[in-house]
Amino acid sequence: MNDNTKKEGKRINPFFLPYNTPHETAPFDKITLADYEEAMLEGIRRDNEQIEEMLNDPEEPTFDNTIIREDKQEGRKHYYDLLGRVTSVFFNLLSAETNDDMDALAQKMSPILTKHSNDISLNPKVFERIKYVYEHHRELTPEEARLLEDSYDGLVRSGALLSEKDKDKLRKLTEEASVLSLQFSQNVLKENKAYSLHITDEKKLEGIPDTALEVAKEAAKEHELEGWVFTLDMPSYSPFITYCKDRALRKEIFMARNTICTKDNEENNLEICKRLVNLRREMAQLLGYETYADYVMKYRMAAKVENVYKLFDNLLEAYKPTAMKERDEVIALAKEQEGENFEMMAWDSAYYSHQLQLKKYNLDPEELRPYFEVNNVIKGVFGLATRLYGITFKENKDIPVYHPDVKPYEVYDEDGSYLAVLYVDFHPRKGKRDGAWMTEYQGQWIDKKGENHRPHTSLVMNLSKPTDEKPALLRLGEVETFLHEFGHSLHGIFANTRFESLSGTNVWWDFVELPSQFMENFAIEKDFLRTFAFHYQTGEPIPDELIEKIVASRNYNVASACLRQVSFGLLDMAYYTQKEEFTEDIIPFEKKAWEKAIIGKQLPDTCMTVQFSHIMAGGYSAGYYSYKWAEVLDADAFSMFKKNGIFDKTTAKSFRDNILSKGGTEHPMTLYKRFRGQEPTIDALLERNGIKNNKA
């Protein structure tokens, strides 16, 4: 125990003190489970104290003494926002490194935290003071005006104008939604981690690559079993469903993954989903909106539900004919191999799609793994940022981490000045949810004295693990995932705004995916691959022949992939455009909702909704379309780099200055047009995907 956590022999909660770590990073090694609840409750008390101090201020309410009021108590500079400090650590670890005790504490504290948030946003005295500033403020900078607008409208959208009766109703709805969202996520994690496919007969493993078998062998050892164990984590599931020749086993693992949280047990999410849809509809209608989607669209580039459906219709019109052809080609190959009576099922698609890719391009994605050793990929991705923006990364092992897998880096700007801390957490493990995400432990802001407080960003993924025989060798898709989340990280790292609530990724939801999806474009660029893709054993660079195959096959099944994303977007919008109480059974409703984007046979028992964390518990409710919306932007933006050179520093500087560093300080289209010189069109995306020939 460090001396700074002792006082007269008594240990002090580390959240209550300056951290005394490099860059004041979270002291993960000092925090105990009990510290969270104590610090959250104290944080709530301090918030209430600050609110009372503000409300009792006899001076006329102003922007400076109300909207950006600073703590007047000495000695609390580093931990003024105690509640934000502790909740950022707790809820980030709830996704990245949780356990039963953490889950139980989350269930206990979530309604308390939601109540506290409601107590502030529904306090009429708070609203009246902010309303006064909104109507009588001094001349403001554009960024100050944006913050004031967000502060005022945020309270309105949180129920400030409701009657006391409706405020009470809204409180109950939001508190219930917070508990159910958490329960949803915990159920998905538990069901996902509970399944394992144990195989002892080596003959059943025919077709599965050695890399995947080595990982499965390691997993068996962890389970204290002989043979091989496959799980529903993507680095295990994806190679199995793609390569395993045993159709019955493919079906077993496919059905396991696609029926989680539908069984008759405590982790069933069917009724939870139905209730969440209704809770959000009721909240929106209380606030004067017809549907939850209408509520969401006010702060989206799409602006209206009709514009989302227009995007879907345009994509379906452009991509569906090609997707049908792609599907027919895969079925034809399957019948060629298995006989004319063969009926393609969902657990066959990845297997035969891979066979067709092999036939058409002579490219097996497994051939690429030896060139994508994880440490080389790190050098490549970091090196790309160095080449574009001049920034550098230095691992600092003195920065505490929450798990030995995590690597902490300091990020420095081109002039050598400190920019940020970046945590990178690569591999799956028991207490970590599936997927990949970027988050922050500290945002960026500039205080009254001009000190620029730099961000602590975190990049969390579930990439292929190392084994006893080999280092972590990634798939090309995993390299793309790394680039995607790294793009989000750069959005945080380059943040340079005055107010934390407007910095970094605090932008409109259908704009936030632009920096991430933009970075994915580099994954197939020859000049980029040449910087890091070396064989992990021989050191030989990736052959031109393989790069040419990657480029040639980049649009393989691109239309089918587009329809998959559109189907998810249609499902999301179907739930959140409900005007009346939602009473339908989830599974049949799902089948109907996305029907026009589905080109294969639908199975009666599978269900996406119950594990669709993005729209049920992850902030993308009525917003999943954002991925396709931002894809139009990212293709259009990258066309500038293709025109000027993919490493062009002038273009990169413009992207940094106009997009990455500005956060939510201005309307996203204003920022985009400042970079691009015009509004985006769908043309660049269609051209990139080979759906339309280049006009040139």
Side-chain angles (χ1 to χ4, degrees), residues 361-364 367-368 371 526 529-530 541-553:
Y361 303 103
N362 192 27
L363 177 65
D364 182 347
E367 289 180 73
L368 305 176
Y371 299 98
K526 181 176 180 178
L529 290 170
R530 279 287 188 213
I542 187 169
D544 286 346
E545 178 190 1
L546 267 183
I547 296 177
E548 286 161 13
K549 287 179 183 180
I550 292 170
V551 174
S553 65

Side-chain angles (χ1 to χ4, degrees), residues 346-383:
W347 47 84
D348 300 317
S349 293
Y351 181 79
Y352 290 104
S353 290
H354 164 64
Q355 298 291 321
L356 182 60
Q357 184 182 26
L358 208 52
K359 182 178 179 180
K360 289 181 77 167
Y361 303 103
N362 192 27
L363 177 65
D364 182 347
E366 286 295 309
E367 289 180 73
L368 305 176
R369 276 194 195 265
Y371 299 98
F372 295 145
E373 189 272 324
V374 70
N375 289 304
N376 284 340
V377 176
I378 293 171
K379 290 176 187 174
V381 173
F382 286 1

Side-chain angles (χ1 to χ4, degrees), residues 42 46 55 109 282 430 437 585 630 635:
E42 172 62 14
R46 288 190 191 180
L55 294 179
M109 294 305 299
E282 289 182 60
K430 185 179 178 183
W437 62 96
D585 290 339

